[in-house]
Amino acid sequence: MAIPWLIGIAAVAVAAALASDDDNSSSSSSSNDREREARRREEAERERTENERKNKLQAAHKNFAMHGERIGSDVAQSLQGWIEVNFQQSPAFSVKLNSRGYKIENAVSSEQSISTLLPSSDLQFKEIHDNLKIYSDIYNVKMKQGVKLIEVGKEIETIESELQKIRQLKAEMRKLYSYLSTKV
Amino acid sequence: MKPKTMSTKFIQEKLNLISNQNADDRPTIVAYGLMNAGKSFLLNMLTQHIEEEFFKTNDIRETAEIKKFESEKYVYLDTPGLDANKADDTQAQFGASQADVVLFMHQPQGELEANEVKFLKELKQSFGCYAESNIILVLSKIEKEEQAKIDQIEDRIKAQCVQEIGFSPKVFQVSNKRYQAGIIKHKDALVAQSHINSLIEHLDLIASNSGKVRAQRSLTEVETLLQMIESKEQLLKSKRKNLKDGISLAFSIFNDQIDSLNGFLEESASKYRNI
């Protein structure tokens, strides 16, 4: 009479155990799904972030080039009459941004030609001279003296010539003065 | 002497003249005075051009340029009459600037006229401490007036020199006509009464200091020229500075733009690195 009861109990136990196993395997598969989902979402997020960054970089390049081009044009405008600017390429702005900063591509300015615009030896014009070189490097322009600069340059040249004569005359005068002083 | 222009060319010419003047040791005697005062006539007598004149004389204006006669001892210059015209005055001033001795001629019509006083003042300034010894007033044509009147005129012009000009030059009364007639006719009395020989003796006496006089006057001229040229130099340097400052100003916007450009490059690069 106990055995059927024991069998019954055993059966119940087995059934319970079986039921527990079933529960475990279904939660494990859900967990995998969740993980896969998470990875997928992360991947998508990375891709989205990367794309966003690429777009930002592209936009940065584009805006940089546009702005740089406009500055070059504005500078040429402000130099009108004083320096004649001829752009050698289009677009003229030859600076590119990179991960280290920026780089001027194909700088072809000639120190010699810039020194003919203004006397490079005159300290008063050093800043102008240096800035003309920068402009020339960045925009690959050919420059020559404008009408106003030519006119002023000629006036200064005439004055320099006159001052040279004066220096010579003063030297002559001092010599004559010394000589005459011995005769009085 | 005040030059009309300050060009370097003019100053160079003046300097050359001063150098050349001091290269010749012979004293330069210049006759100076109003038109028809007897300058050319006197110089003809002093240079022994008794019968045939070297320096042209006439009642009308003959001397329009400076005429020069060089003897072994002296160089003589005849100048245009002071009051003829402005160009002649310039010529006359130029001649006086070369003088070691000035014979300032005055006709005995009366006292010194205003323009004579003016020129004598300039001469006195030019000769400095040598004015009284080397500017000789010559009362010419004394044969035309009574001696008393001549003496009166001499006293008057001496007083004018003291009061209006501030110096007491030696005065000689001369008659060129008497001298000429005396030499031609061999009449010593006429020659003596002309006082030309007294003038010649006096010239020989003061000629010994002519080198110093010339050097002193030249020194004064060189000092004046130096001042003029330094003034011109300052003017030109100032003009040059203004022109250069003008260029700097014209490029100031350009410089600002390049500064902005540099700033733009740095800022853009920084933002790019942070993307």
Side-chain angles (χ1 to χ4, degrees):
Chain A
M1 297 238 263
I3 293 172
W5 185 81
L6 284 172
I7 292 171
I9 291 171
V12 166
V14 166
L18 280 174
S20 171
D21 276 350
D22 277 347
D23 281 345
N24 280 345
S25 41
S26 70
S27 79
S28 168
S29 75
S30 325
S31 171
N32 284 342
D33 283 343
R34 280 199 292 279
E35 274 177 20
R36 270 197 296 276
E37 182 60 27
R39 275 199 297 275
R40 196 182 54 75
R41 277 201 292 274
E42 274 171 21
E43 190 63 37
E45 181 61 27
R46 267 198 299 274
E47 208 173 298
R48 191 189 60 75
T49 306
E50 189 56 34
N51 284 339
E52 202 175 288
R53 185 172 174 271
K54 274 184 188 169
N55 288 338
K56 279 185 181 173
L57 288 172
Q58 268 177 4
H61 279 295
K62 189 177 169 190
N63 289 335
F64 181 70
M66 212 165 63
H67 199 146
E69 200 66 19
R70 194 170 64 239
I71 291 174
S73 174
D74 288 347
V75 169
Q77 186 78 13
S78 79
L79 288 172
Q80 244 182 17
W82 294 93
I83 302 283
E84 271 183 32
V85 175
N86 286 304
F87 291 99
Q88 300 297 296
Q89 65 197 24
S90 180
F93 187 59
S94 64
V95 183
K96 296 284 184 275
L97 293 168
N98 58 35
S99 57
R100 287 185 297 281
Y102 62 83
K103 187 187 172 199
I104 302 170
E105 297 191 342
N106 306 321
V108 289
S109 75
S110 164
E111 178 64 47
Q112 196 175 9
S113 65
I114 290 171
S115 66
T116 61
L117 297 173
L118 289 162
S120 53
S121 57
D122 195 325
L123 286 175
Q124 183 169 357
F125 301 136
K126 187 177 183 316
E127 189 187 356
I128 300 171
H129 176 264
D130 291 348
N131 284 340
L132 283 170
K133 187 172 184 322
I134 290 170
Y135 184 59
S136 176
D137 284 347
I138 289 176
Y139 291 94
N140 191 18
V141 292
K142 274 203 163 52
M143 295 184 283
K144 58 181 188 176
Q145 288 184 324
V147 169
K148 288 178 189 174
L149 195 53
I150 291 172
E151 266 172 31
V152 172
K154 278 182 184 161
E155 274 192 77
I156 293 176
E157 220 176 279
T158 304
I159 290 172
E160 295 287 3
S161 171
E162 196 73 359
L163 284 170
Q164 173 63 15
K165 283 181 201 164
I166 286 173
R167 279 191 287 273
Q168 283 167 349
L169 275 174
K170 280 172 76 172
E172 265 184 65
M173 280 183 199
R174 287 194 195 104
K175 204 172 154 187
L176 182 58
Y177 193 89
S178 296
Y179 167 68
L180 291 170
S181 297
T182 63
K183 295 186 91 179
V184 292
Chain B
M1 177 179 159
K2 288 176 189 164
K4 287 182 177 177
T5 175
M6 275 176 54
S7 73
T8 47
K9 185 168 176 253
F10 175 85
I11 293 172
Q12 177 73 73
E13 281 169 5
K14 274 297 291 176
L15 207 59
N16 292 343
L17 191 64
I18 294 169
S19 292
N20 292 338
Q21 277 173 347
N22 284 279
D24 187 344
D25 286 335
R26 289 174 298 174
T28 300
I29 298 170
V30 181
Y32 204 49
L34 296 178
M35 215 166 59
N36 289 330
K39 302 183 290 296
S40 305
F41 201 166
L42 176 63
L43 288 176
N44 281 326
M45 297 303 103
L46 293 176
T47 56
Q48 299 303 302
H49 290 95
I50 308 296
E51 290 181 87
E52 198 174 317
E53 62 183 22
F54 176 84
F55 298 97
K56 294 285 176 234
T57 61
N58 210 320
D59 283 341
I60 61 167
R61 183 171 74 90
E62 271 293 340
T63 312
E65 292 176 339
I66 294 170
K67 192 122 191 235
K68 183 198 274 192
F69 179 81
E70 296 187 40
S71 73
E72 207 178 295
K73 274 171 72 174
Y74 302 113
V75 174
Y76 297 89
L77 294 182
D78 193 10
T79 62
L82 286 173
D83 50 352
N85 60 52
K86 200 92 174 100
D88 286 351
D89 284 355
T90 307
Q91 283 275 27
Q93 283 175 332
F94 182 73
S97 74
Q98 297 179 64
D100 298 311
V101 178
V102 167
L103 298 171
F104 194 93
M105 310 286 295
H106 176 74
Q107 289 190 74
Q109 290 167 347
E111 64 177 22
L112 294 170
E113 293 181 23
N115 51 357
E116 288 180 294
V117 170
K118 180 174 171 278
F119 280 113
L120 275 168
K121 272 184 185 166
E122 287 175 9
L123 280 175
K124 180 194 170 261
Q125 195 178 13
S126 173
F127 275 85
C129 60
Y130 296 102
E132 282 189 0
S133 58
N134 288 57
I135 299 173
I136 300 166
L137 256 61
V138 179
L139 259 179
S140 60
K141 303 182 185 178
I142 59 172
E143 74 283 351
K144 286 193 172 179
E145 293 288 348
E146 295 289 328
Q147 187 58 49
K149 185 160 182 209
I150 299 291
D151 290 340
Q152 200 180 29
I153 292 169
E154 179 177 327
D155 288 342
R156 179 62 196 128
I157 64 176
K158 275 179 171 175
Q160 275 183 296
C161 285
V162 169
Q163 288 155 16
E164 295 176 51
I165 303 167
F167 84 134
S168 302
K170 199 146 175 69
V171 181
F172 278 85
Q173 299 175 8
V174 300
S175 168
N176 297 318
K177 281 193 173 172
R178 283 179 191 163
Y179 186 79
Q180 186 181 46
I183 296 289
I184 291 170
K185 295 172 185 173
H186 307 289
K187 292 193 171 172
D188 292 347
L190 267 179
V191 171
Q193 284 166 15
S194 73
H195 308 299
I196 295 284
N197 282 339
S198 300
L199 178 59
I200 291 172
E201 277 170 26
H202 184 72
L203 287 173
D204 288 342
L205 195 68
I206 63 173
S208 59
N209 76 353
S210 65
K212 279 188 182 177
V213 173
R214 188 184 301 171
Q216 180 61 58
R217 294 184 75 207
S218 296
L219 268 175
T220 307
E221 276 195 270
V222 170
E223 275 170 2
T224 306
L225 286 174
L226 197 53
Q227 277 170 18
M228 278 169 55
I229 207 154
E230 280 175 346
S231 171
K232 188 174 174 73
E233 188 179 33
Q234 285 316 308
L235 211 70
L236 285 172
K237 282 183 174 176
S238 175
K239 201 174 168 191
R240 180 181 61 180
K241 182 181 182 307
N242 287 343
L243 287 170
K244 284 188 172 182
D245 287 349
I247 292 175
S248 295
L249 187 65
F251 280 85
S252 60
I253 293 175
F254 165 71
N255 286 336
D256 289 344
Q257 284 174 325
I258 299 299
D259 282 347
S260 296
L261 172 62
N262 286 329
F264 162 70
L265 293 176
E266 291 301 326
E267 200 184 321
S268 299
S270 171
K271 282 180 181 171
Y272 189 81
R273 279 195 294 272
N274 291 334
I275 293 174

